[in-house]
Amino acid sequence: MKLSEIKKHLTHLEKIAFELPNGQLVPKHFHVTEIGEVTKKFIDCGGTLRHDQVINFQLWNANDYNHRLYPEKLVHIIELSEKVLKLDDLDIEVEYQGETIEKFGLDFDGTNFLLTTKQTDCLAKDNCGVPENKSKINLSELQTTNNTCNPNSGCC
């Protein structure tokens, strides 16, 4: 989800809820403690220089049960971040404290913001000899032709 998309969704909501991949909701008293731009410049295992930028939201739970972040306040925080940091309309990555700091993608189901899982991947499969995933088929689904070999013919 891009920064412009979250702002659009927030304008139609009365409350904000973030849902973890396991279906649990982030506690209602969460805070957005950071909004920023993260730039990653790296070389993949094939030697290709790469550059990645995302907008980072950090969610945090405090023992502050009396405050709740409402959509209009989060829109204000986003707009202030855009102005001060001169943010582009980039994809959002969300940090949330699990057993360690976990990073998620962001989606929306019409009610909740969904924290989506992220996966590592080899970005240079063609350069480092990583075989492509082959599709699995059942041998019973293969169509036979007239050129099939009879097991008793000695050709197999």
Side-chain angles (χ1 to χ4, degrees):
M1 172 181 301
K2 299 236 183 251
L3 197 56
S4 61
E5 294 175 272
I6 193 170
K7 286 174 28 182
K8 182 181 78 172
H9 293 308
L10 287 167
T11 62
H12 301 292
L13 295 176
E14 292 182 23
K15 63 180 181 170
I16 306 170
F18 286 93
E19 185 176 323
L20 294 161
N22 65 7
Q24 291 182 330
L25 294 177
V26 170
K28 296 176 184 179
H29 58 278
F30 74 91
H31 292 259
V32 174
T33 58
E34 294 179 12
I35 294 180
E37 182 180 290
V38 175
T39 301
K40 181 178 176 182
K41 187 175 180 180
F42 61 102
I43 294 177
D44 67 25
C45 58
T48 302
L49 178 63
R50 298 190 182 259
H51 183 260
D52 190 28
Q53 284 182 288
V54 294
I55 301 299
N56 185 69
F57 281 36
Q58 186 180 79
L59 306 183
W60 180 64
N61 292 331
N63 294 329
D64 180 5
Y65 298 99
N66 297 323
H67 292 91
R68 178 125 189 228
L69 183 63
Y70 288 94
E72 56 276 358
K73 176 68 175 178
L74 184 51
V75 169
H76 174 72
I77 294 168
I78 293 169
E79 289 174 345
L80 180 60
S81 299
E82 287 176 308
K83 179 182 172 188
V84 173
L85 301 173
K86 298 179 180 18
L87 299 177
D88 291 326
D89 191 24
L90 300 171
D91 286 324
I92 297 171
E93 179 178 80
V94 178
E95 290 181 352
Y96 183 68
Q97 185 69 45
E99 291 189 32
T100 186
I101 297 173
E102 298 175 346
K103 292 184 178 188
F104 299 94
L106 189 63
D107 204 352
F108 186 67
D109 69 1
T111 304
N112 296 334
F113 290 101
L114 307 175
L115 300 180
T116 60
T117 57
K118 298 181 81 164
Q119 302 292 318
T120 60
D121 194 9
C122 176
L123 300 176
K125 290 181 183 91
D126 55 337
N127 288 340
C128 33
V130 176
E132 289 186 39
N133 289 337
K134 295 181 181 178
S135 58
K136 294 182 180 182
I137 59 170
N138 290 326
L139 291 177
S140 62
E141 294 174 359
L142 290 176
Q143 296 204 359
T144 58
T145 64
N146 292 338
N147 296 333
T148 59
C149 179
N150 182 334
N152 296 327
S153 68
C155 68
C156 304

